[in-house]
């Protein structure tokens, strides 16, 4: 891909995703404009964001559980099973 291209060339090349591999950063008078990326790159980015959110959620659950253990808010497995069974009735 060339370092620079005209707007006309970019518009004409929109049907050719290989032309935009890695994305582009368009500038106008030195000011950044919209970023264009391929659908495959977008899917990878969204999957990474989802993994990050899931990791953060898991970390929050672990920290909450650790806090509850430190505060003595625990129950035996038998009591937990009794509560679970009772909630299903």
């Amino acid at each position: 891909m060339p370092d620079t291209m005209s707007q006309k060339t970019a518009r004409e090349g929109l049907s050719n995703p290989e032309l935009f591999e890695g994305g582009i950063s368009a500038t106008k008078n030195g000011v950044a404009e919209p970023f264009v990326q391929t659908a495959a790159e977008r899917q990878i980015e969204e999957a990474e964001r989802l993994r990050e959110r899931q990791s953060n959620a898991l970390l929050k659950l672990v920290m909450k559980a650790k806090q509850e253990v430190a505060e003595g808010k625990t129950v035996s497995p038998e009591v937990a099973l009794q509560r679970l069974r009772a909630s299903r009735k």
Side-chain angles (χ1 to χ4, degrees):
M1 181 173 127
D3 289 339
T4 60
M5 71 173 70
S6 69
Q7 287 181 357
K8 180 181 177 190
T9 304
R11 268 192 309 274
E12 291 170 353
L14 286 176
S15 63
N16 181 7
E18 291 82 27
L19 186 63
F20 301 100
E21 244 346 276
I24 65 165
S25 178
T27 61
K28 183 176 182 180
N29 298 326
V31 177
E33 291 289 324
F35 181 77
V36 178
Q37 63 186 166
T38 64
E41 291 169 333
R42 178 72 178 160
Q43 288 175 340
I44 291 169
E45 183 180 296
E46 287 176 352
E48 179 59 33
R49 237 185 250 134
L50 176 62
R51 280 190 298 274
E52 187 175 325
R53 281 196 304 266
Q54 290 173 337
S55 294
N56 287 338
L58 182 58
L59 179 60
K60 286 180 182 180
L61 286 173
V62 168
M63 296 304 293
K64 180 70 173 168
K66 187 175 178 180
Q67 178 185 3
E68 288 178 357
V69 168
E71 293 172 357
K73 296 180 180 177
T74 60
V75 295
S76 69
E78 293 80 18
V79 172
L81 283 173
Q82 287 174 353
R83 288 181 184 174
L84 180 62
R85 289 180 183 132
S87 70
R88 291 182 178 174
K89 290 180 182 180

